[in-house]
Amino acid sequence: MLELKNITKVYNQGLITESCLFQDFSLTVKDGEFVSIVGSNGSGKTSMLNIICGSIPVEGGQVCIDGRDITRSADYKRYARIGRIFQNPAMGTCPDLTVLENLSLADNKGKPFGLSRAISKNRIDFFREQLASLQLGLEDKLHVKMGALSGGQRQAVALLMVTLSPLDFLILDEHTAALDPHTAEIIMQLTDRVVKEKKLTAMMVTHNLRYAVEYGSRILMMDRGHVVLDVGGEEKQNMKVDDILDIFTRISIECGN
């Protein structure tokens, strides 16, 4: 279980541009939940993910996983249990290394480093099988440099990479935003399948309201550092895109937009 307890986050503290995004913000995500997070720009969606992953510090509060306080833990230590896929397909992979080399690096995550070969021939068939399961023809591109793949192909490989080693949490930061609609649909279907098969706890920030409605078990809507909508279970399953759009519109009117 992931818990954010009384989080306070202030940007540009002490400057004329000082801005308090979160004030005593709390949130609990239970094991096995797939949470879709929506909201306008500046609502705190990505900042919340960065706080969970340790990319930015907080001025107050706690980040806890299974009751253990990780607030002061370095981001690389948190990534032992957290996998993250970014909006930019170029992030999270090494463009000058081949697909095989990228997968080998991910496969060795958390293992002791030594002077042995990074690529194990015994794992090549396994990698090929995993790539074939994506149904994108990537099993024939093991020796192609990652930078030569399309954005969608890179996101698919990135999804495979972060889930090669055991994970507790999958963080998806607008991971389909830079893709064309057809490819984005494929990546979302892959994401949903991977989350279910590996029984992951997932948090997905998205601006695509349809994805938020169709995928996952819970929807959060954020506005100016607050959760203004939190729906799960049967209520979430019965929710329509227009329902979320109506709330978006109301908030925009209240903000004078």
Side-chain angles (χ1 to χ4, degrees):
M1 183 168 66
L2 171 69
E3 297 174 281
L4 300 179
K5 299 180 178 180
N6 307 115
I7 295 294
T8 296
K9 177 59 193 173
V10 180
Y11 284 103
N12 304 322
Q13 194 167 17
L15 302 177
I16 193 172
T17 55
E18 179 177 308
S19 172
C20 181
L21 176 59
F22 294 121
Q23 181 69 50
D24 294 326
F25 177 83
S26 297
L27 178 71
T28 298
V29 178
K30 297 179 181 178
D31 293 343
E33 284 190 317
F34 184 171
V35 184
S36 298
I37 306 162
V38 298
S40 59
N41 293 331
S43 62
K45 307 182 302 298
T46 296
S47 289
M48 180 174 65
L49 298 189
N50 286 331
I51 288 170
I52 292 170
C53 293
S55 302
I56 58 175
V58 293
E59 280 63 54
Q62 294 178 306
V63 180
C64 299
I65 292 181
D66 295 335
R68 185 170 67 89
D69 187 353
I70 63 167
T71 312
R72 305 304 169 197
S73 296
D75 54 355
Y76 70 89
K77 292 183 179 179
R78 301 189 197 194
Y79 281 124
R81 302 185 65 181
I82 297 173
R84 185 173 185 176
I85 301 180
F86 298 86
Q87 177 179 342
N88 185 351
M91 298 181 69
T93 59
C94 299
D96 293 328
L97 298 182
T98 66
V99 173
L100 175 59
E101 290 166 340
N102 272 271
L103 289 171
S104 296
L105 285 175
D107 196 37
N108 287 319
K109 176 184 175 183
K111 298 177 182 178
F113 287 96
L115 296 177
S116 59
R117 292 184 179 274
I119 298 175
S120 171
K121 292 183 179 180
N122 296 329
R123 298 289 281 173
I124 292 179
D125 287 340
F126 169 76
F127 293 148
R128 187 173 283 110
E129 291 174 3
Q130 293 297 304
L131 289 169
S133 71
L134 301 177
Q135 300 178 4
L136 294 173
L138 290 167
E139 63 273 18
D140 298 323
K141 298 182 182 293
L142 276 173
H143 301 290
V144 174
K145 285 190 176 182
M146 187 68 75
L149 300 182
S150 69
Q153 289 173 326
R154 289 185 73 165
Q155 286 295 62
V157 176
L159 181 62
L160 179 57
M161 287 172 61
V162 299
T163 55
L164 275 178
S165 55
L167 283 179
D168 292 321
F169 300 96
L170 179 61
I171 303 294
L172 305 160
D173 190 1
E174 298 187 57
H175 70 308
T176 63
L179 308 177
D180 66 79
H182 176 69
T183 305
E185 201 73 46
I186 293 174
I187 295 301
M188 270 309 311
Q189 292 171 4
L190 286 174
T191 301
D192 188 54
R193 193 180 81 205
V194 168
V195 169
K196 290 177 179 177
E197 288 179 353
K198 295 183 178 289
K199 300 179 180 179
L200 300 175
T201 303
M203 299 179 71
M204 177 181 72
V205 166
T206 180
H207 282 294
N208 189 311
L209 299 184
R210 182 172 65 83
Y211 290 166
V213 168
E214 291 185 3
Y215 295 96
S217 57
R218 181 180 173 190
I219 296 177
L220 295 181
M221 181 182 291
M222 300 186 67
D223 177 54
R224 292 173 288 182
H226 299 279
V227 173
V228 295
L229 177 71
D230 187 350
V231 177
E234 185 177 350
E235 185 179 0
K236 192 268 180 187
Q237 298 304 317
N238 293 330
M239 181 165 279
K240 306 292 188 231
V241 173
D242 286 344
D243 298 331
I244 300 183
L245 192 57
D246 288 343
I247 299 173
F248 254 119
T249 303
R250 175 173 54 80
I251 291 174
S252 295
I253 292 173
E254 291 173 354
C255 294
N257 296 327

